Amino acid sequence: MEIKKVGVIGCGLMGHGIVQVAAQGGCEVIAVEAQQDFLDKGLARIEKSVKKLAEKAVEKGKATPEQAEAQAAATLGRIHGSLDKKDLADCDLVIEAIVENLDVKKALFKELGGLCAAKTIFASNTSSFPIGEMAAASGRPARFVGLHFFNPVQLMRLVEVVRTDATDEEVFAAARAFGEACGKSPVSCKDTPGFVVNRLLVPYMVQALQMLERGDATKEDIDTAMQLGCGYPMGPLTLTDYVGLDTTLFILQGWKERYPNEPAFEVPALLVKLVAEGKLGRKTGEGFYKWDGDKRS
Ligand code: CAA
Ligand code: NAD
C-alpha cells in the first residue's frame, strides 16, 4: 500500500506545510483550497519556505547551490494547486487541514467518500476532534487515520498517527510510513481528546492565559519564565499567537461542550474577547503581541 499521490485540503497555516513536506518526500501533491486567493497565498508560502531551506542546505554544506536548486525545483514541480475536489479522485491519501469545526469536517469527508476511489486513505489533521466521528461520516472507517502534524510543519519533527478501533492495520502502517517519508518521527496514538501533545499542551496554554487574566505576571514575564526556566523554545503566550487564537478557542470550545466537568478545558474569557476583536495572533498581525511577519513586538 504505497502512497505516491497525496491530496491536501486547506492550504493555510498547516496545510501549506503538509503539502510541502509531502512533496519533499517525493509524493505528487494536489493542494485544494476554497478560493483562488487563499490557494495563491499558500503556494507562495511554500515557494518561500522551499527556497529558504535550499539556502540553508547550501550554507550548511549539505548541498551545492546547483543540487539545492535542482531539489527545490523538483519539490515545487510535484505540487499542483486546485479549487476542485474532484481532482483528488485517484489519490492514495487525502489529508484534511481545514478549519477546526467538526460539522464542517464531517460534511467534507462525507463528500470525499462519494468522490474518491475505494483505495484512497483519508486522514484528518484535527487538533482535537474525534477521528472516529469523521471516519464514520466518510463511509470508510477502516481506511481512516489521524495524521496530526505540528506548526511550523517544515521544522517540527513529530507527527502523531491516530488509529481508531476500526482502522485497518495496513492503512495504519501506510500512514506511519508516509509520515516517515515526510521526514517526521511518527508516534502512535489512540483516538483520545488532543491525542498526546495537545492533551498536555493546550491545558498548559490555558493556565498561562488564566495567569495573565489574574494579573499574576506580565505576558513577557510568563513567556520568559517558561523559556529560560524550562528551556522551551517559546513561551506559552507567544505559542498561542503562533498556533492562532481562533484555533485554540475552537479546540477548547469543542472540548468544553463534550467534557463540561473537566477543569483543564476551561475557556478563558480573555481568549474569547481577543478572538471577537479579530486578534487571532501572528496570522492577523496581532494577538497577545503585535507581529510583523516573524518578528514579535
Ligand atoms: N520554512 C523554512 N524555514 C523556516 C520556516 C519555514 N516554515 N520557519 C522558520 N524558518 C527558518 C527561519 O527563517 C530561521 O532561519 P535563519 O536561521 O536563517 O534565520 C530558522 O528557520 C530558525 O527559525 P527561528 O529564527 O524563528 O528560530 P527558532 O530556533 O526559534 O525556531 C521554531 C523556530 C522551530 C518555530 C521554534 O521556536 C519552536 O520550536 N517553537 C515551538 C513551536 C511549537 O511548539 N509548535 C507546536 C505548536 S502546537 C501544534 O502545532 C499542535 C496543534 O494542534 C495546535
Ligand atoms: P487556517 O485557518 O490557517 O487554514 C485553514 C484553510 O482551510 C484556510 O486557508 C481555508 O480557506 C481552507 N478551507 C476551509 N474550508 C475549506 C474547504 N471546505 N475546502 C478547501 N479549503 C478550505 O487553519 P490551520 O491553523 O492551518 O488549521 C487547519 C487544521 O489543522 C485545523 O483542524 C487545526 O486544528 C489543525 N492544526 C492546527 C495547528 C496550528 O498550530 N494552527 C497545528 C496542528 C493542527
Side-chain angles (χ1 to χ4, degrees):
M1 206 182 280
E2 209 184 338
I3 291 172
K4 289 188 184 150
K5 185 170 180 184
V6 176
V8 179
I9 309 187
C11 201
L13 193 58
M14 294 305 292
H16 90 277
I18 299 171
V19 169
Q20 181 177 332
V21 296
Q24 284 169 187
C27 296
E28 286 293 316
V29 190
I30 302 182
V32 173
E33 253 295 346
Q35 284 177 224
Q36 189 65 48
D37 51 342
F38 293 143
L39 182 60
D40 292 344
K41 200 173 158 205
L43 295 177
R45 283 173 99 169
I46 293 171
E47 198 169 331
K48 192 172 161 206
S49 173
V50 167
K51 289 195 172 143
K52 177 86 197 169
L53 294 175
E55 278 168 25
K56 284 260 180 196
V58 175
E59 259 172 50
K60 288 185 180 165
K62 288 185 178 164
T64 64
E66 294 73 26
Q67 284 167 337
E69 203 175 307
Q71 216 168 24
T75 296
L76 293 173
R78 284 192 279 270
I79 298 172
H80 316 279
S82 169
L83 299 179
D84 189 353
K85 294 185 211 69
K86 289 196 196 83
D87 290 339
L88 304 176
D90 67 343
C91 283
D92 302 307
L93 169 70
V94 173
I95 307 170
E96 163 279 311
I98 66 168
V99 65
E100 188 70 350
N101 178 309
L102 185 58
D103 289 338
V104 178
K105 287 180 191 286
K106 279 161 74 173
L108 174 67
F109 280 117
K110 187 170 180 220
E111 186 186 353
L112 289 174
L115 276 180
C116 293
K119 68 166 184 177
T120 307
I121 296 172
F122 291 156
S124 173
N125 184 53
T126 183
S127 299
S128 62
F129 289 123
I131 298 299
E133 286 199 26
M134 289 177 269
S138 76
R140 56 179 81 176
R143 301 189 75 73
F144 205 111
V145 290
L147 270 173
H148 187 219
F149 288 87
F150 291 81
N151 175 25
V153 179
Q154 293 90 342
L155 304 186
M156 303 307 284
R157 290 163 49 211
L158 182 69
V159 62
E160 292 177 324
V161 188
V162 185
R163 54 159 33 123
T164 71
D165 292 341
T167 307
D168 186 284
E169 205 50 55
E170 275 183 47
V171 167
F172 185 71
R176 274 189 73 105
F178 168 74
E180 279 167 2
C182 291
K184 308 301 173 196
S185 297
V187 295
S188 305
C189 302
K190 288 190 181 169
D191 191 12
T192 56
F195 319 123
V196 174
V197 171
N198 283 348
R199 182 64 180 84
L200 296 169
L201 182 68
V202 176
Y204 151 75
M205 288 152 89
V206 168
Q207 286 294 314
L209 265 146
Q210 289 175 338
M211 204 176 258
L212 184 66
E213 276 178 332
R214 290 193 300 270
D216 294 350
T218 64
K219 58 180 189 277
E220 291 85 359
D221 283 351
I222 294 169
D223 278 347
T224 301
M226 293 312 290
Q227 272 191 286
L228 303 188
C230 290
Y232 288 7
M234 7 171 110
L237 300 166
T238 303
L239 183 61
T240 310
D241 270 1
Y242 216 76
V243 165
L245 273 63
D246 50 345
T247 301
T248 309
L249 180 62
F250 298 150
I251 294 170
L252 281 168
Q253 285 173 333
W255 283 349
K256 189 71 193 163
E257 204 180 306
R258 267 168 204 274
Y259 310 99
N261 300 321
E262 171 54 71
F265 299 160
E266 282 306 316
V267 184
L270 179 59
L271 186 62
V272 177
K273 176 177 170 289
L274 290 173
V275 171
E277 288 168 2
K279 293 175 182 163
L280 307 185
R282 198 172 65 134
K283 63 180 154 189
T284 54
E286 188 171 357
F288 295 103
Y289 297 93
K290 291 211 165 88
W291 291 86
D292 180 11
D294 278 345
K295 288 206 172 57
R296 200 192 82 177
S297 61

